[in-house]
Amino acid sequence: MKLSSLLRPRTTASAHCDLPCGVYDPAQARIEAESLLAISKKYQDNTDPEFRARSLIIKEQRAELVKHHLWVLWTDYFKASHFEKYPQLHGLFNEATKLAGASGTKGSADPAVAEQLLAKIEEIAKIFWETKQS
């Protein structure tokens, strides 16, 4: 027997923080999306080129965080039984991550796009909390 096969882990686990802690909450995505909305509004209200450039950089970082938090919920929290009970869930996640991506808040400084993202996250959160009740 090779040494590498003796040292290979027998069980592999993964979670949003590399420890299956079981702590999930759509609030993480919502808070970052609220930040996107606020940044977009401040960007629209300010003409200083340095402020606007910094705003775009921060907005893109926050958009990536929204996508990360949504993906964690989508891939780690929600199970097949949830997707069976809520068949619209995959579509909601797809729409929300696109609204956080390049064609959404990451690529736009329009507050209306950030508001659309927040609305999708709210729909996901409603389902999330319903699954916590059952």
Side-chain angles (χ1 to χ4, degrees):
M1 185 179 275
K2 292 182 180 181
L3 181 61
S4 62
S5 49
L6 287 173
L7 298 175
R8 186 172 355 133
R10 298 202 190 284
T11 305
T12 304
S14 63
H16 67 107
C17 61
D18 294 327
L19 179 70
C21 61
V23 177
Y24 302 97
D25 194 325
Q28 292 173 300
R30 182 188 45 77
I31 289 167
E32 298 300 345
E34 287 176 357
S35 178
L36 287 169
L37 177 59
I39 291 168
S40 295
K41 288 178 178 178
K42 289 180 183 213
Y43 177 90
Q44 298 299 331
D45 292 339
N46 197 310
T47 58
D48 177 56
E50 289 179 20
F51 177 86
R52 289 173 70 104
R54 206 172 80 227
S55 295
L56 292 177
I57 291 167
I58 294 167
K59 183 179 64 62
E60 288 184 9
Q61 292 169 343
R62 296 293 179 240
E64 280 299 314
L65 288 170
V66 170
K67 289 191 326 186
H68 168 76
H69 292 305
L70 288 172
W71 284 333
V72 166
L73 286 171
W74 195 2
T75 60
D76 294 353
Y77 172 75
F78 285 104
K79 307 292 179 235
S81 60
H82 298 137
F83 293 109
E84 289 171 12
K85 185 173 181 180
Y86 303 95
Q88 75 277 28
L89 198 51
H90 280 302
L92 285 172
F93 273 107
N94 184 45
E95 293 165 9
T97 55
K98 287 190 180 304
L99 281 166
S103 62
T105 55
K106 189 172 182 182
S108 170
D110 183 354
V113 177
E115 288 171 351
Q116 291 171 20
L117 173 59
L118 279 164
K120 291 294 178 193
I121 292 170
E122 183 57 35
E123 288 182 63
I124 292 167
K126 182 178 183 290
I127 294 171
F128 173 85
W129 290 112
E130 285 177 12
T131 66
K132 297 293 269 187
Q133 300 301 319
S134 48

